[in-house]
Amino acid sequence: MRIAVLPMFALFQLVAQTSTAQTPMAHTPVARTPVAHTQRQDRLMKHPTLYRTVTIDDHSIFYREAGPKNAPAILLLHGLPSSSRMFDPLLSRLSDRYRLVAPDYPGFGHSDWPDPKKFAYTFDRYAEIMNRFTETLGISRYTLYMQDYGGPVGFRMLLAHPERVDALIVQDAVAHNEGLGVNWKTRRAFWADRAANEPALRSNLLSLAATRTRHVGNDPNVEGYDPDLWSDEFAFLSQPAQADIQSDLFYDYRTNVEAYPKWQAWMREKQPRLLVVWGKYDLSFDPGEPERYRQDVPNAEVHVLDAGHFALDTAADEIAALVGGFVGSR
């Protein structure tokens, strides 16, 4: 248990205030609260984020939810090595208009972390659980928001139940082999020979340096990033069993590459409503990937922002405006 300790400078301030209590104080103008901040606080009060769990296939699945139950739903699927927490900026900005639901996958965040020897950490399994998750919550129609790992989970859900998805939002998630960047040389070698390349893969994927780079990328404005973002994620990755869980799941990532043609064919045939939001400083994927989505869906909205792989880190207001306008334009 943490015990709050009053800093020494605060004690000095307290003593000084006490000793000058009788001294008349000059009038200090009251700062005005920005309108946008006030509106956001009103939304938080009316539609606070709730933190819940539900049991799916004997596993506890944690999720965050905000917004009216009868509002249009947005299902938010997170990436590696984040959790539903990455979507807090959207929940606080859009909960007045939409029902936002963001689950943690098994092995991530506050959901159960089953033993890799007893649970198949695969994208097929995740998609099955997430489909049952929406069924359990009674979410029969939704806009599907996919970031990073959310792409392969979401596209599998989509192909299994296309009737449930109103529209797609892609944030730094790949659906084309060419979209995998230079970092993927080590990762492809891991898929070809897991035993020989697992140590290199773990360093490439799970190290503190890799975790930081996923956020900052090559953004010159590093002071805009909260270092707690990657230090918290690295602490998560350093927990017992996480290296095995993440290695198993990433070994299964090769099945996504095999499935890309099916996802592309579905998009070209169905021409879904599609919003693509991309951070131009993302080093995880090839910068040409956003336009590849437009080749599949010519009417797609594509926006490349001054942001990294986790674009909500620094562009939350802009993304919330894009998402709100897109979902509301039905």
Side-chain angles (χ1 to χ4, degrees), residues 92-146:
S92 66
R93 288 166 171 82
L94 296 175
S95 59
D96 58 333
R97 287 168 282 169
Y98 304 110
R99 179 186 183 186
L100 298 106
V101 180
D104 291 349
Y105 313 131
F108 286 79
H110 295 287
S111 288
D112 278 349
W113 298 5
D115 184 340
K117 296 178 181 177
K118 301 177 181 178
F119 179 88
Y121 282 96
T122 67
F123 290 92
D124 280 347
R125 188 75 178 102
Y126 276 6
E128 291 171 1
I129 290 175
M130 290 297 104
N131 270 324
R132 292 194 185 115
F133 170 81
T134 61
E135 293 162 3
T136 302
L137 267 61
I139 306 173
S140 59
R141 299 280 296 183
Y142 50 84
T143 293
L144 184 58
Y145 189 122
M146 307 178 288

Side-chain angles (χ1 to χ4, degrees), residues 22-96:
Q22 304 304 318
T23 303
M25 297 182 65
H27 173 70
T28 303
V30 178
R32 295 182 179 179
T33 303
V35 173
H37 176 75
T38 301
Q39 292 173 341
R40 191 172 301 148
Q41 290 300 111
D42 289 344
R43 286 198 296 269
L44 290 172
M45 292 174 64
K46 293 177 183 177
H47 304 290
T49 298
L50 302 176
Y51 307 92
R52 294 169 163 161
T53 59
V54 64
T55 299
I56 307 293
D57 294 350
D58 296 324
H59 301 297
S60 177
I61 301 299
F62 173 88
Y63 65 101
R64 299 162 198 258
E65 181 174 6
K69 291 275 189 183
N70 60 350
I74 305 176
L75 179 66
L76 303 145
L77 300 179
H78 68 79
L80 166 79
S82 54
S83 68
S84 59
R85 190 175 79 164
M86 69 166 282
F87 292 116
D88 277 343
L90 289 184
L91 270 64
S92 66
R93 288 166 171 82
L94 296 175
S95 59
D96 58 333

Side-chain angles (χ1 to χ4, degrees), residues 216 219-221 225 277-282 303-316 318-319:
V216 176
D219 192 339
N221 300 308
Y225 292 84
V277 178
W278 206 268
K280 72 178 182 181
Y281 301 117
D282 184 353
H303 300 270
V304 178
L305 310 178
D306 286 327
H309 181 67
F310 295 102
L312 286 166
D313 289 350
T314 58
E318 191 171 357
I319 293 173

Side-chain angles (χ1 to χ4, degrees), residues 285-328:
F285 300 132
D286 182 83
E289 182 65 1
E291 287 301 322
R292 295 186 185 99
Y293 280 103
R294 205 198 302 267
Q295 291 171 12
D296 294 326
V297 184
N299 289 329
E301 291 186 34
V302 178
H303 300 270
V304 178
L305 310 178
D306 286 327
H309 181 67
F310 295 102
L312 286 166
D313 289 350
T314 58
D317 285 338
E318 191 171 357
I319 293 173
L322 290 170
V323 171
F326 175 74
V327 178

Side-chain angles (χ1 to χ4, degrees), residues 78-80 146-152 171-174 253 285 309-310:
H78 68 79
L80 166 79
M146 307 178 288
Q147 196 274 339
D148 190 69
Y149 275 11
Q171 181 202 319
D172 297 85
V174 165
Y253 200 101
F285 300 132
H309 181 67
F310 295 102

